[in-house]
Amino acid sequence: MDLENQRRVKEFAEQVGPENLVVIIGAGEAGASALAAETVTAGDPTYAGPLTGVSLGLKVYHVCEDEMKAEFDEAIYEDQVSMMEMVIDLDEIVEQMESIRSQFTKY
Amino acid sequence: MKSVVKGTSYVLVHAPDMLLRNGTTQTTERIVNPDSDYLKKLPEHIRSYDDALSYLPNQAYIGNLDPVALREHEQPWFDKKYDKADRFGSFGEIMPQEEFYFMIQAADEFELVRLEKGFVEEYKEKFFANPVLTDLIKDRIHDGIEKEALEKLLEDDAEGLYIGDRLVGAVKKAHDVDVALTSHVLLENLASKASNILSLLHLIKSAGLDPDEVDYVIDCSEEACGDMNQRGGGNFAKAAAELAGFTNATGSDTRGFCAAPVHAISIAASLVAAGAYKNVIVAAGGSTAKLGMNGKDHVKKDMPVVEDVMGGFAVWIGADDGKNPYIDLEHLGRHTVGTGSSPQAVITSLVSDPLERAGLKITDIDIYSPEMQNPDCTKPAGAGDVPVSNLKMIAALAVKQGDLERAGINEFVENRGVPGFAPTQGHIPSGIPMIGHSRQALLDGDVKRVMIVGKGSLFLGRLTNLFDGVSFMLLPNEGIEEKSAVSGDELRKIVAESLRGFAQSLLSEEEDEQ
Amino acid sequence: MSILEGKKVIAIGDRDGIPGPAISECAKSAGADVVFSSTECFV
């Protein structure tokens, strides 16, 4: 994840408390989704950014996961995101996200 | 008047040592993690020139291989070689780093670049053997300076130019305190200028362009040149035009991240269509910063670091010749301030809106060229296959609009796009790489409509959160419309006849009234 | 229990996936407070 984004995630986790923070990812690929999810839970796996060695354990979802869709306004999701369900490999993304959450999410 | 694409050139520069020393992934790592495993392992993952030369996507970029044929080679491509690989292709060449250092020296007007004497003696003949080089370039090459003098320059903040561990040149800073004129910035800008010039020289040769006939040049790279009072003051375009020998041209720069080239082409085509200029060249050099951008993932996946080439291109937009494919200026696509960022809104604005205005559907386009990034670069980094994702978005919109079955998405991607073959150099892959191949396909009558799409991540500059994109259609030229050319005599006859007719009708009206 | 309602949300979008602002719109519709939204670019 971009170094500046890592810095902001870390700042907000400190500011509002990690239990009050949810990260929503919009990556088009399972690999990139997992990388971002790992960064905000276990720490930066690339050892480059401010989250290196920092295990925030944040709640993290992909925007197309059912848990998220259940809470979004249907019409807004339809307008803003739905088309991408035909583009991305959602099953693979869900699998990766669930795996990261079960291992590293603390809240 | 129609604006046609009269020719294109595409060049690559193999730059392994610039990757190691100037790519921002590496320079950042040296600051953040100087003892990292990545920096230790990286040199083992650098490719030789021959490996970069025989690399399938590179051969497609310079015109030696039809990108469609890339489908016959299973991905990844880094472990395969193209058996008919050649340094020169119908669009350009893949220049080795040693020779490119000569180009950088030739591009320098302020005695900022110095090469080592022994290095010049060793490689000068090889550099001069390049058939596109003009005397204007060759006459600018200095004899070089002693190695000790070069080392001294490095002590004074110069950036070194290396072949492996051997110091062969240096780029000096141009000011003691001005951060816009540091040696780092100057190397970046001179490398961009030099690869732009190389693209222009190839355009002269491959497209038969007469340098004297060029009226205007638009540079659409992603660098900024200027000093601290005008950091992006600019005009890479005129600087490159000067050394390409375009004596009668002026120019300017167009910026817009990766979307800049498509913006630049629509501007160039408009200048020609308006009759302001007859021949406008849109060109760009490459980026040293993006060399090895995804290197960490490539090293982690134990593959060569394939982002080891800088790109360049030039497109010649000229007045209608009745033959070359033209740019449809009446139906340009554009992402507006109000479009928003949702993928369906973006693709609607870039693809289906202009098509609808032209009375066409998404399925009426034969070839889409959205982002042409080589998947070998992006897949290992978890960013997937960018051209395929973009084509799928276009297909998904067609499904939403009822013009395509959902089951037909993969077939759409297969039939209406080509595999990505351009280096991840920002503006270089953004739609533009397919103009050369598409121009030929349109001339040969193999396809009827091509759409070129450029997208830009404006938010990276932290001035706006907006995204950007523009698109245009490239269409076959059905010949110059026959004007109802009438001679002076004929015109007089027509006027006389109509006057006579008018007089007679008046007469008959009078008769009627009587 | 709701995951998003009343929570602070960070949206990390993707230029060739779903961009940050599109995620933000959805999160807001679920009653979340979007404190930071960004879009990553891999190319």
Side-chain angles (χ1 to χ4, degrees):
Chain A
M1 189 191 286
D2 178 69
L3 307 190
E4 174 65 11
N5 288 349
Q6 290 192 36
R7 191 180 67 76
R8 298 298 293 270
V9 171
K10 193 170 171 230
E11 263 176 26
F12 281 114
E14 284 162 6
Q15 241 175 60
V16 305
E19 70 281 6
N20 294 316
L21 205 55
V22 182
V23 178
I24 308 180
I25 289 162
E29 289 292 319
S33 305
L35 195 69
E38 193 178 339
T39 307
V40 300
T41 52
D44 181 4
T46 69
Y47 305 109
L51 291 178
T52 304
V54 181
S55 300
L56 292 177
L58 301 180
K59 247 187 217 140
V60 58
Y61 291 89
H62 190 278
V63 67
C64 296
E65 284 189 273
D66 285 341
E67 292 92 326
M68 292 289 101
K69 282 166 68 176
E71 301 197 6
F72 296 151
D73 179 290
E74 212 174 304
I76 290 179
Y77 180 81
E78 172 66 26
D79 241 28
Q80 297 287 331
V81 183
S82 65
M83 189 188 90
M84 289 304 283
E85 288 188 15
M86 288 189 258
V87 177
I88 62 177
D89 186 340
L90 190 52
D91 292 343
E92 205 188 337
I93 289 176
V94 169
E95 194 183 308
Q96 295 271 0
M97 295 300 291
E98 280 175 348
S99 155
I100 299 275
R101 276 199 299 272
S102 67
Q103 291 177 71
F104 306 120
T105 294
K106 298 179 196 161
Y107 304 97
Chain B
M1 189 202 303
K2 281 180 194 150
S3 303
V4 303
V5 178
K6 297 187 97 166
T8 58
S9 71
Y10 295 93
V11 306
L12 295 172
V13 174
H14 181 238
D17 291 291
M18 295 173 97
L19 183 164
L20 289 170
R21 294 168 191 274
N22 308 109
T24 55
T25 299
Q26 290 63 252
T27 53
T28 306
E29 187 75 352
R30 270 199 290 280
I31 296 166
V32 180
N33 259 331
D35 300 319
S36 76
D37 279 353
Y38 169 61
L39 289 175
K40 282 179 203 138
K41 283 184 189 160
L42 179 60
E44 299 160 26
H45 294 262
I46 294 295
R47 287 192 298 192
S48 67
Y49 173 74
D50 285 340
D51 284 347
L53 184 78
S54 57
Y55 188 45
L56 289 151
N58 289 353
Q59 288 291 317
Y61 188 80
I62 62 164
N64 271 340
L65 173 66
D66 183 347
V68 176
L70 285 170
R71 286 221 176 82
E72 293 158 22
H73 304 270
E74 202 190 330
Q75 292 180 22
W77 295 316
F78 61 77
D79 56 357
K80 298 171 181 67
K81 285 184 187 304
Y82 183 49
D83 50 6
K84 294 189 203 84
D86 198 292
R87 168 174 169 168
F88 294 95
S90 54
F91 298 144
E93 69 168 300
I94 304 172
M95 182 175 260
Q97 183 174 253
E98 294 85 356
E99 294 174 44
F100 187 63
Y101 288 162
F102 281 80
M103 281 301 294
I104 292 181
Q105 194 259 280
D108 164 38
E109 291 275 355
F110 290 85
E111 300 186 349
L112 296 169
V113 182
R114 286 287 175 263
L115 298 178
E116 195 249 326
K117 208 172 170 182
F119 171 74
V120 175
E121 284 166 9
E122 198 177 334
Y123 287 99
K124 192 173 166 180
E125 286 314 310
K126 205 173 159 236
F127 175 64
F128 279 15
N130 190 328
V132 302
L133 290 187
T134 54
D135 287 343
L136 181 61
I137 298 292
K138 289 181 189 170
D139 291 346
R140 299 174 63 83
I141 300 301
H142 305 154
D143 289 339
I145 62 173
E146 298 298 336
K147 196 168 172 242
E148 294 70 29
L150 265 188
E151 282 163 355
K152 239 185 146 77
L153 292 177
L154 293 196
E155 288 166 24
D156 195 26
D157 302 329
E159 281 277 346
L161 299 173
Y162 293 85
I163 300 295
D165 290 331
R166 179 181 170 194
L167 176 69
V168 300
V171 179
K172 295 187 265 184
K173 63 183 175 186
H175 196 280
D176 279 337
V177 291
D178 190 340
V179 291
L181 292 171
T182 63
S183 53
H184 168 82
V185 171
L186 282 159
L187 171 56
E188 214 164 68
N189 286 350
L190 286 166
S192 178
K193 177 183 171 185
S195 40
N196 184 332
I197 296 167
L198 186 63
S199 307
L200 296 177
L201 295 175
H202 273 280
L203 187 67
I204 294 170
K205 192 158 183 293
S206 67
L209 171 69
D210 177 355
D212 288 336
E213 288 192 5
V214 177
D215 302 302
Y216 203 83
V217 179
I218 304 178
D219 176 287
C220 50
S221 68
E222 295 186 286
E223 316 300 0
C225 69
D227 65 13
M228 59 184 158
N229 293 316
Q230 44 271 311
R231 198 165 39 83
N235 230 329
F236 280 83
K238 197 161 187 175
E242 179 186 15
L243 295 188
F246 297 170
T247 317
N248 299 317
T250 183
S252 63
D253 300 342
T254 290
R255 294 290 179 267
F257 284 93
C258 313
V262 178
H263 278 290
I265 288 190
S266 62
I267 294 167
S270 303
L271 286 169
V272 171
Y277 302 120
K278 280 197 177 66
N279 295 296
V280 181
I281 311 297
V282 171
S287 148
T288 54
K290 288 193 168 179
L291 290 165
M293 191 165 52
N294 293 294
K296 283 187 178 178
D297 293 293
H298 298 162
V299 168
K300 205 192 286 172
K301 302 267 157 50
D302 200 22
M303 58 177 271
V305 178
V306 289
E307 291 163 312
D308 57 357
V309 287
M310 291 175 64
F313 67 82
V315 180
W316 174 12
I317 312 287
D320 194 4
D321 55 6
K323 183 183 112 199
N324 277 296
Y326 73 96
I327 291 154
D328 181 1
L329 284 170
E330 284 174 33
H331 306 105
L332 297 174
R334 70 189 201 277
H335 177 279
T336 67
V337 170
T339 299
S341 75
S342 84
Q344 47 255 61
V346 170
I347 302 297
T348 301
S349 69
L350 297 178
V351 178
S352 69
D353 275 355
L355 286 174
E356 201 177 303
R357 276 186 277 124
L360 298 167
K361 290 186 294 193
I362 288 176
T363 45
D364 288 327
I365 294 286
D366 301 311
I367 299 176
Y368 283 99
S369 174
E371 303 283 300
M372 285 289 114
Q373 285 90 353
N374 169 6
D376 265 10
C377 303
T378 53
K379 273 184 169 174
D385 187 323
V386 179
V388 167
S389 295
N390 278 278
L391 281 157
K392 274 189 181 169
M393 285 187 222
I394 296 169
L397 186 64
V399 173
K400 283 216 154 218
Q401 295 181 339
D403 294 326
L404 186 72
E405 293 290 323
R406 186 163 177 171
I409 290 182
N410 286 340
E411 199 189 327
F412 180 99
V413 170
E414 184 94 355
N415 292 341
R416 293 175 198 272
V418 302
F421 58 92
T424 45
Q425 290 249 298
H427 57 298
I428 299 292
S430 202
I432 301 300
M434 270 307 282
I435 294 181
H437 293 286
S438 301
R439 174 178 168 267
Q440 202 50 53
L442 285 159
L443 280 171
D444 295 344
D446 296 338
V447 294
K448 281 246 170 317
R449 293 186 194 96
V450 177
M451 185 178 266
I452 307 288
V453 184
K455 292 163 84 178
S457 302
L458 306 190
F459 41 83
L460 297 174
R462 306 295 196 267
L463 282 188
T464 171
N465 218 353
L466 289 176
F467 173 82
D468 188 41
V470 272
S471 68
F472 63 81
M473 272 185 275
L474 205 52
L475 301 173
N477 200 328
E478 275 138 16
I480 297 173
E481 281 170 30
E482 285 291 321
K483 282 185 198 153
S484 48
V486 280
S487 67
D489 282 348
E490 282 169 27
L491 192 67
R492 271 189 289 277
K493 209 171 142 192
I494 292 166
V495 171
E497 272 173 13
S498 61
L499 281 175
R500 205 173 298 133
F502 180 62
Q504 258 167 8
S505 71
L506 283 179
L507 275 174
S508 57
E509 271 172 35
E510 272 176 35
E511 281 165 13
D512 287 348
E513 280 167 19
Q514 285 168 1
Chain C
M1 203 184 84
S2 164
I3 303 169
L4 295 172
E5 199 176 349
K7 290 285 161 68
K8 307 286 181 194
V9 159
I10 288 179
I12 304 289
D14 177 354
R15 169 195 194 265
D16 295 296
I18 298 103
I23 300 173
S24 298
E25 287 301 312
C26 291
K28 277 187 229 158
S29 79
D33 175 17
V34 180
V35 290
F36 177 62
S37 162
S38 173
T39 305
E40 304 223 300
C41 179
F42 294 90
V43 293

